[in-house]
Amino acid sequence: MKKLLYRFIYLLVLGILTFLLVSAFGRMGQKTTSSASPTENCRKVQHVLGATCVPVNPERLATIFHVTLGHALTLGVKPIASTIINLQHPFPEYLMDKLQGVKPLGSQNEPNLEKIALAKPDLILGWDRIQSTYPLLSQISPTALGSWDGPVSWREYFNFVADVLGKQQEARQAWEHYYQRVDELKKALGNRYQDQEISVVAPSMHWGYFLQAKNSFVGSVFDDIGLKRPTVQDVDTSHGYVILNSVEELAMMDGDVLFVLTFEADEKEAFDKILQSPLGKTLKATQHNRVYSVNTLTWNGGNLLAADAVIDDLFKYLVNKS
């Protein structure tokens, strides 16, 4: 009997969701704007697809995109559910101790609509990479999507999330904490790195070597700290990085210290072999044993909790190891 009851409930929920999805597909391709008028429990916010009336104090937030998740947690809002990065790396390591009870909602590029509906969020908050899914999401719950232009836009995206959640005061407090930590690190570093260049590269097995530019996420953190960068990285670019396509350009990523951002174990192993090659051994950082492997998701985290973790790494490698 219990199995039959569970199956009945499941089919009922599935039927309701199917009805919602079919209804929403009928409006696909149209710009969706909430027609609800602001009330004492609801206020309109602007986002990339128009305006949505969101709860004044959302209690069941669902986030889409790991940066959105990080921003919400920074602001003291713990989502009930969030999309994952992939099956091997569901959530970034630096957030794991804050995610107990947070349900996964499928890929951040293709969120699972059924799981989102079953989670019963009162607000869905995410990035503009899922615009095609917006009509369906907005049938489940009020949905606001922010513009994400890569790591160069991380501060603007944080402001968007804070505005949607009505957490401007918490945002100011988060910035105060960040600059306090920056000042602590600057004092600990003293002047020992004032004449040294810190290089940051994210090697990819398929796309080349991504040098982190001045306006990347980690580049902006370095700039606040006052760490000097190699000339080729001390620039602003449209996406926050400079791509090297060949290992023959390895010298362009050299510095007195080299941080290597890796996501998968095979990426790290492949780049370690390059560093041990005759060409790799010509790098200053390799010769002085000052090459440090760090987590890509942390150093490209795009939120203030990630920035806190980056500062922890800088204390570890630049202060405690020097």
Side-chain angles (χ1 to χ4, degrees):
M1 286 295 294
K2 285 186 177 180
K3 288 185 177 180
L4 289 175
L5 179 60
Y6 291 153
R7 181 168 179 77
F8 173 77
I9 294 172
Y10 172 78
L11 291 174
L12 178 63
V13 171
L14 186 60
I16 293 172
L17 178 64
T18 301
F19 172 77
L20 292 174
L21 297 184
V22 171
S23 299
F25 271 120
R27 292 187 293 277
M28 266 291 202
Q30 300 178 4
K31 183 176 180 180
T32 307
T33 301
S34 173
S35 59
S37 300
T39 68
E40 62 180 12
N41 297 317
C42 169
R43 58 187 179 84
K44 277 198 173 185
V45 298
Q46 296 292 326
H47 59 101
V48 294
L49 290 176
T52 295
C53 206
V54 305
V56 173
N57 293 302
E59 297 179 351
R60 297 183 62 81
L61 173 67
T63 54
I64 297 174
F65 184 33
H66 66 92
V67 175
T68 318
L69 172 62
H71 285 328
L73 292 169
T74 298
L75 296 166
V77 179
K78 183 177 180 179
I80 59 163
S82 185
T83 53
I84 64 172
I85 299 168
N86 59 44
L87 293 176
Q88 291 73 34
H89 306 277
F91 298 112
E93 289 181 9
Y94 67 93
L95 294 179
M96 290 305 294
D97 63 342
K98 300 174 176 62
L99 297 178
Q100 184 175 0
V102 177
K103 298 178 181 179
L105 295 176
S107 165
Q108 59 189 18
N109 293 305
E110 296 181 0
N112 187 307
L113 296 173
E114 182 178 356
K115 288 184 177 180
I116 294 173
L118 291 173
K120 298 180 180 179
D122 58 6
L123 174 62
I124 300 170
L125 183 54
W127 61 343
D128 57 359
R129 302 284 176 87
I130 56 160
Q131 290 190 40
S132 62
T133 314
Y134 177 75
L136 307 180
L137 292 171
S138 62
Q139 292 297 310
I140 297 171
S141 180
T143 301
L145 304 182
S147 176
W148 177 257
D149 296 320
V152 298
S153 64
W154 75 276
R155 295 173 187 258
E156 291 78 13
Y157 189 65
F158 178 55
N159 292 337
F160 166 76
V161 173
D163 288 343
V164 173
L165 296 177
K167 297 291 184 180
Q168 290 84 355
Q169 181 177 347
E170 288 80 358
R172 287 191 292 271
Q173 292 171 345
W175 281 116
E176 289 173 3
H177 171 77
Y178 166 73
Y179 285 114
Q180 179 182 349
R181 293 224 61 206
V182 166
D183 287 341
E184 290 171 355
L185 179 56
K186 290 168 72 172
K187 290 177 182 177
L189 290 172
N191 59 6
R192 72 185 81 177
Y193 289 96
Q194 66 179 9
D195 297 320
Q196 297 191 38
E197 295 179 343
I198 315 296
S199 177
V200 187
V201 61
S204 168
M205 295 183 65
H206 305 290
W207 305 104
Y209 308 93
F210 293 77
L211 301 180
Q212 302 302 294
K214 184 176 182 178
N215 63 334
S216 67
F217 168 64
V218 71
S220 67
V221 175
F222 276 30
D223 195 45
D224 287 337
I225 296 167
L227 293 172
K228 189 176 180 181
R229 309 294 307 287
T231 301
V232 70
Q233 299 173 38
D234 195 28
V235 294
D236 290 343
T237 66
S238 57
H239 298 291
Y241 52 78
V242 177
I243 301 179
L244 303 181
N245 296 308
S246 169
V247 70
E248 302 302 323
E249 300 175 290
L250 200 63
M252 295 179 65
M253 69 181 69
D254 197 12
D256 297 284
V257 177
L258 173 61
F259 285 102
V260 182
L261 282 55
T262 55
F263 186 55
E264 303 288 356
D266 52 359
E267 286 179 343
K268 182 179 184 304
E269 292 173 4
F271 195 70
D272 284 343
K273 290 181 180 178
I274 291 174
L275 292 178
Q276 294 306 312
S277 69
L279 184 58
K281 290 181 178 180
T282 65
L283 301 183
K284 289 182 294 184
T286 305
Q287 293 172 358
H288 294 95
N289 197 29
R290 303 188 79 181
V291 178
Y292 305 118
S293 180
V294 292
N295 186 278
T296 296
L297 292 179
T298 302
W299 280 51
N300 276 326
N303 64 79
L304 288 174
L305 291 177
D308 215 28
V310 169
I311 291 173
D312 286 341
D313 281 342
L314 295 176
F315 267 105
K316 177 180 178 180
Y317 294 114
L318 299 187
V319 177
N320 299 333
K321 279 197 174 186
S322 62

